[in-house]
Amino acid sequence: MSNMLPACRRVTGPLARQTVALARHASTSTKEKFRVLVIGAGSGGLTVANQIYNRFKAAGKPLNAGDVVVLDAADYHYYQPGWTLAGAGLGSKTDFRRPLASLFPPHITHIAENVKSFYPESSSVTTTSGRTISYDSLVVAAGLKTNWDGIAGLPQALADPSSGVSSIYSYDTCDKVWHDVDALRSGNAIFTQPAGIIKCAGAPQKIMWMAWDRYQKSGRGNNIKIDFMTGMPSMFSVKKYSDALNALRIERGIGAEFQHNLVSIDVANRKATFKKDDGSTVDRDFTLLHVAPPMGPLDFIKGSPIADPVGWVEVDQATLRHVKPEFGNIFALGDCSSLPTSKTVAAITSQAPVLTENLFSVMDTGKVSNAKYDGYTSCPLLTGYGELMLAEFKYGLVPKESFANYLGDQTKRRRIFYHFKKDLFPWVYWSRMVDGKWFGPSGPFRPKFV
C-alpha cells in the first residue's frame, strides 16, 4: 500500500480536501458493498480508481459517487522516485509526499483501513478491524514488502546516525543518504543491490552514480573508492543498457562484484558480509554503505486464494485479469502483481489504462476487451548531475524507446532526460497521474481503446 513505501469539482487547498475526504469516509462507513473495490492507495491504486470512474462516465454509464472505494490506512502518499532525488541532494523528502486523504476527489470513497483476508468465492474481503466489505469487481494495487530484517544488523545500522549506512528505499532514511554521501571525505563507499525482485531495479546504482559525480565535482574523487556489490549477474537486466552501464563503470573506475548478496552488517567493525553465488561469504570494509534491502510479496497476499505460489497476485500478463476463471472479477497491477516486468511507476502508467478498459468491459459485457499490456516499463537512470540514461523496455527485455526517433539511441546520457526525472516527472505525477489523467508513453492523450 502507500505507507512507507507519496472531472468533478475539487475542494481547494490540501487541508480543506483532507477534511472533506475524512467527512466522506465517516458518511459512507456503513456501506458494505461497492461496485469497484481498490486495495491500496499508492501509485497504482489512485491512478486506476480515477481512471475506472472516468471510463464509465465517458461511456455514458456513469457510476454513482461512492461506487468506487479505496482501502488504505496510510496517513501519507509518497512519490517514491523522489526518494532518489532527496538522496542525491536534489530536493527535500517532504517535497515527495502528500496527506493521503487530500488526494481523493469527492466521487471516490476512501476507507482508512487495511485488508486482512481475501474471500474471492464470495467477492469480499475482511479488514484488520474485522469489517467485511463486498464488491462487484476487485483491483489489488497493494505494493510489495520491504524486508529490512532480511539483512542482519540493517535496522540497527539505519537507526544509528553515525553508522555510515543508509538507504533510499524509505521516506525515513532517504535524507540520511544525502547526509552520509555529502559528509564522506575519504574511504570505501559500497553500494549494494540484492538478488531477486525489488522496486525500480536501477535505483541502487542511480545513487551510486550521483555520489561518484558529487565526489568528482568536489575534488574528493581520488580519496574515495566506490564499489557496486550486486546479487544480480550484470549491471542491468536489459543487455543493451547493461553493456553501456558496465562500460561507464569501467571508464569511471568503479569496482563491481556480481552475484554477491549482502547478508549482514557489522557497524562496530565497519564490515559488510556478502554471500557469493557458490555459497561462500566474503567480508568487505566500508566507510559508507548504501543498502537496497531485499523485497517480496506482502504477508496478507502471500498464501491467499488470489496469490501464485510465490505470493504475487496471479494475473494474465496481457489483460491484468486474474488467471483463474472463477476469479474473473479480480484484477491487479503494479508491485503486488505477477506481471513479469520491472516494478516501477512508469510500468503502472501503461498498466492502468489496460486494466481499466478490461475491467470496464468485463463489468459491461462479461468479456475482456482487446486492450493488452506489452510489459512496457522505464528506468530513468541518473548517471550524474545534469545527465541521465533513459532505459525503456517491454516484455522479453526488449528496448521500447519513446525518443529514439527524435534524439537517437537512448543509451546516450542526456541533460533533457535528467530534467525529465528531476522536474517533469514529479510535476506530471502530482498534477496528472494520481488524478488518472496520465497514460504513460501516450502522455496526456487517452488511449484508443478508452
Side-chain angles (χ1 to χ4, degrees):
M1 295 186 184
S2 60
N3 55 316
M4 190 65 182
L5 294 167
C8 287
R9 180 175 60 85
R10 304 292 286 272
V11 179
T12 302
L15 182 58
R17 293 170 70 186
Q18 183 176 13
T19 302
V20 169
L22 291 172
R24 183 170 64 253
H25 164 56
S27 67
T28 60
S29 61
T30 58
K31 183 175 180 178
E32 303 298 322
K33 175 69 181 289
F34 297 89
R35 295 292 305 281
V36 180
L37 171 61
V38 180
I39 306 301
S43 302
L46 282 181
T47 299
V48 81
N50 280 290
Q51 288 191 11
I52 287 167
Y53 183 89
N54 294 340
R55 179 63 180 95
F56 276 87
K57 184 178 179 180
K61 303 176 180 181
L63 298 171
N64 295 320
D67 278 349
V68 179
V69 62
V70 181
L71 264 64
D72 197 321
D75 293 324
Y76 290 97
H77 177 98
Y78 300 95
Y79 176 62
Q80 295 185 29
W83 295 345
T84 304
L85 300 177
L90 292 172
S92 169
K93 67 181 184 180
T94 56
D95 295 337
F96 307 113
R97 78 173 186 179
R98 300 282 191 278
L100 177 57
S102 72
L103 299 178
F104 286 95
H107 52 268
I108 304 294
T109 299
H110 172 216
I111 296 178
E113 293 195 46
N114 290 331
V115 170
K116 179 181 181 180
S117 303
F118 294 91
Y119 297 95
E121 68 283 352
S122 61
S123 293
S124 65
V125 301
T126 60
T127 68
T128 50
S129 71
R131 178 177 178 180
T132 297
I133 298 176
S134 300
Y135 55 82
D136 290 336
S137 293
L138 174 69
V139 177
V140 188
L144 51 64
K145 181 181 180 181
T146 303
N147 296 311
W148 300 102
D149 292 328
I151 298 170
L154 176 58
Q156 297 82 359
L158 290 173
D160 181 351
S162 63
S163 67
V165 180
S166 61
S167 178
I168 58 169
Y169 275 96
S170 84
Y171 180 82
D172 292 338
T173 61
C174 62
D175 50 346
K176 190 175 191 283
V177 176
W178 173 243
H179 175 273
D180 288 356
V181 166
D182 194 47
L184 188 64
R185 294 295 180 267
S186 63
N188 299 326
I190 299 176
F191 296 80
T192 77
Q193 178 167 348
I197 293 173
I198 62 171
K199 291 185 285 189
C200 190
Q205 64 178 291
K206 293 178 191 179
I207 197 64
M208 175 189 74
W209 297 121
M210 299 302 281
W212 178 90
D213 198 27
R214 173 64 176 162
Y215 298 145
Q216 299 303 309
K217 287 180 166 62
S218 60
R220 289 175 270 172
N222 292 332
N223 300 322
I224 298 172
K225 183 178 185 299
I226 296 179
D227 288 292
F228 186 50
M229 305 285 288
T230 174
M232 304 302 288
S234 63
M235 291 293 291
F236 198 72
S237 58
V238 180
K239 187 178 187 304
K240 173 181 179 177
Y241 303 118
S242 182
D243 290 347
L245 290 164
N246 199 53
L248 181 64
R249 178 189 66 77
I250 294 170
E251 175 189 326
R252 291 181 170 180
I254 295 174
E257 294 287 354
F258 301 100
Q259 296 179 313
H260 280 57
N261 218 34
L262 179 65
V263 293
S264 67
I265 301 169
D266 179 356
V267 171
N269 295 299
R270 295 281 175 144
K271 289 188 181 297
T273 300
F274 296 84
K275 187 174 183 180
K276 298 166 65 175
D277 197 44
D278 62 7
S280 63
T281 60
V282 60
D283 292 337
R284 294 290 299 269
D285 297 328
F286 70 86
T287 316
L288 178 150
L289 180 66
H290 178 269
V291 179
M295 303 177 196
L298 289 158
D299 292 337
F300 79 97
I301 295 178
K302 193 186 306 182
S304 74
I306 67 172
D308 67 13
V310 177
W312 309 111
V313 182
E314 192 172 16
V315 294
D316 181 271
Q317 69 177 37
T319 67
L320 283 72
R321 189 186 192 188
H322 204 282
V323 297
K324 294 182 179 179
E326 62 270 30
F327 300 161
N329 62 340
I330 298 176
F331 295 78
L333 78 165
D335 295 355
C336 70
S337 73
S338 63
L339 299 171
T341 191
S342 293
K343 297 181 182 297
T344 69
V345 169
I348 289 169
T349 65
S350 287
Q351 292 167 14
V354 173
L355 185 154
T356 295
E357 183 62 18
N358 284 323
L359 183 148
F360 169 79
S361 184
V362 167
M363 291 182 72
D364 191 43
T365 70
K367 299 179 180 179
V368 295
S369 71
N370 62 355
K372 296 187 185 303
Y373 174 57
D374 66 358
Y376 173 84
T377 190
S378 174
C379 185
L381 288 154
L382 287 162
T383 52
Y385 293 90
E387 62 174 63
L388 185 145
M389 182 188 299
L390 185 58
E392 294 180 286
F393 50 101
K394 60 183 180 178
Y395 286 144
L397 304 177
V398 176
K400 184 184 179 182
E401 298 180 343
S402 301
F403 303 96
N405 290 337
Y406 310 100
L407 299 175
D409 188 347
Q410 288 183 199
T411 58
K412 180 176 174 59
R413 309 184 307 277
R414 291 182 169 85
R415 176 172 285 275
I416 188 173
F417 292 157
Y418 171 81
H419 287 292
F420 282 180
K421 166 72 174 177
K422 176 179 173 291
D423 304 311
L424 178 62
F425 292 163
W427 178 85
V428 166
Y429 186 83
W430 293 119
S431 65
R432 306 291 295 177
M433 184 172 170
V434 292
D435 288 343
K437 299 172 184 175
W438 188 256
F439 302 96
S442 62
F445 303 105
R446 191 174 297 277
K448 292 179 181 179
F449 50 79
V450 174

